[in-house]
Each structure stands twice: as structure tokens, then as C-alpha cells.
Amino acid sequence: MLDIQNLSKSFGDLEVLRDVNIAVEQGEVVVVIGPSGSGKSTMLRCINLLEQPSGGKILYQDKDITQLGKAIMEYRKHVGMVFQKFNLFPLKTVVQNVMYAPVKLNKTDPKEAREEAMELLKKVGLESKAEVYPHALSGGQQQRVAIARALAMQPEMLLFDEPTSALDPELVGDVLAVMKQLAKEGMTMMVVTHEMGFAREVADRVIFMDGGYVVEADTPQEIFSNPKNERTRTFLSRVL
Ligand code: ADP
Ligand code: MG
């Protein structure tokens, strides 16, 4: 579905991604771990074309997304992204946040978009909050709205960049539960996270990045029980 080939990215003299190769199959959950500054966010931003790669290819359904031209907007509908900072529209209610993109970008009938938004809010456990404004919600609730908002575009794949890192610890579980449910339903996901329990339980594959390289990529069992690379071992000994 997604095939990253020899991806590199530099900011001036700073090489942030070096020869990254990752293939993600449909329905697969790939969790990306690694120390701060290792290039995880930059990689997701390249996949979503928020950054232009310096080299290599990113194929989505066999098309190089760096060559899409005007089709970028269409591509972004298929590949949604959820950020650490949820960035909900503060002056729109929860349900308005979720229905905004379908109405604006897909010209969905507002009544229909609202009904679909309510279904999605039910899915993330926030049906009762539909008419309130984001500031009245906890961080965890806001992030679940952000996930519902991403789902409203009916994406084929979702990218998550540390979706629980800005949350108080007691709010993390509800967000992870929603993500786990999506995984179970077959959503293709690439998740950058420090939640090793989630990686262990939900990932089909775990990728350890360091210094802009993919150092190791394997099943969670292998990565956590039998890491082959010294740097993976050192990182895990610090976080586990
Ligand atoms: P991670 O998400 O793994 O913490 P990032 O992808 O955010 O890592 O950052 C990797 C490196 O790239 C860091 O050294 C960071 O300072 C640098 N970097 C990220 N974005 C930019 C940018 N827009 N301009 C310059 N340097 C950047
Ligand atoms: Mg990051």
C-alpha cells in the first residue's frame, strides 16, 4: 500500500532521514519507536507531504506521491494524520469539527455529514459531547475528537504522531483503546509512539529509528524480547 524507498531528507546541512526503506501492507499496523530527534516526525511529515523529501521515493498504491502535482489534495483525503497537538477548531463545536472537512472538501450534504459525524463520535465514545466546544473537553477527549475528525474523510490509512504524548497519564488509555479498536477493524496505521505496551500488543511490526536510519524492523516479539542491534537494546533498556 505504502512503499518508502531510499527516502532521505535534509534541512540545510542537517541530514534527518537517511536511506529509509519501509513497506506497509494494507491492514498492517506499523509502530515507529526511537529517541527524540531520530527523524520520526519528519518521516510522517514526508509521507503526508507536509515536507518535501530530499531523495528517494514514496509510493502510495504504486504511484510516487512526490510527483502528484494537483492530486495531492486527493491523496491527503486517503491518508489522514493525527498529531500530538490535536488542533481542533476552537470556535466550532465538537460535531462541527468532525463534519467540517467532508462538507468543505467533499461537498457532502451537511445533514448527512452531521449524521456520519455523530456515528464517529459514538465510535470514540463522545456522542454526548457533540454540542460542546473543544475547550470544555479533557485532552484525551479532544484527541478522540481529532481521531473522529480524521476518520470523517474515510481515509484508507492513518498516520499518528505521538497521539498520547501531550496527555495526562490517566487519559492515555482511552485514546489507545480507540486506536486499538481501529486496528482491529483493519485500518492501516503508522503510529509513532512511546507507548511500548501498545506497540507490543497492537503492532504487526515495530520499527526502531535512530539518527535518521531505520536501525531495526521486526515483529514486536523479536524487537522487545530479542533485539539484534546494540542501539535498539540500549534504547529499550531506557524506556522499558
Ligand atoms: P523525532 O520526531 O524523532 O523527535 P524529528 O523528525 O522531529 O524527530 O526531528 C529530527 C531532526 O530534524 C531534529 O534534529 C530536528 O531538530 C530537525 N528538524 C525537524 N524539522 C526541522 C525543520 N523544519 N527545520 C530544521 N530542522 C528540523
Ligand atoms: Mg516527533
Side-chain angles (χ1 to χ4, degrees), residues 92-135:
K92 294 183 191 295
T93 62
V94 163
V95 69
Q96 285 167 348
N97 264 275
V98 178
M99 61 191 275
Y100 180 79
V103 171
K104 193 82 180 170
L105 302 178
N106 282 353
K107 312 289 176 215
T108 307
D109 169 60
K111 188 164 169 284
E112 195 182 314
R114 177 175 282 269
E115 278 166 20
E116 284 165 11
M118 289 306 296
E119 281 303 309
L120 290 170
L121 288 172
K122 197 166 161 185
K123 189 183 179 81
V124 301
L126 290 172
E127 217 185 356
S128 65
K129 302 290 185 186
E131 304 302 336
V132 310
Y133 288 87
H135 68 82

Side-chain angles (χ1 to χ4, degrees), residues 20-38:
V20 169
N21 291 280
I22 299 172
V24 182
E25 303 298 331
Q26 181 157 6
E28 205 177 13
V29 178
V30 173
V31 168
V32 182
I33 62 173
S36 179
S38 57

Side-chain angles (χ1 to χ4, degrees), residues 11 21 39 66 85 134 194 240:
F11 294 107
N21 291 280
T66 61
K85 298 247 169 130
H194 296 293
L240 288 180

Side-chain angles (χ1 to χ4, degrees), residues 220-236:
Q221 292 87 329
E222 283 297 307
I223 291 277
F224 291 114
S225 312
N226 188 23
K228 312 248 174 341
N229 190 286
E230 184 56 41
R231 283 195 281 170
T232 317
R233 279 199 287 272
T234 308
F235 175 75
L236 289 175

Side-chain angles (χ1 to χ4, degrees), residues 11 14 16 34-43 51 161-162 192:
F11 294 107
L14 184 67
V16 174
S36 179
S38 57
K40 305 180 300 294
S41 294
T42 303
M43 180 176 70
E51 299 285 357
D161 193 1
E162 299 199 31
V192 173

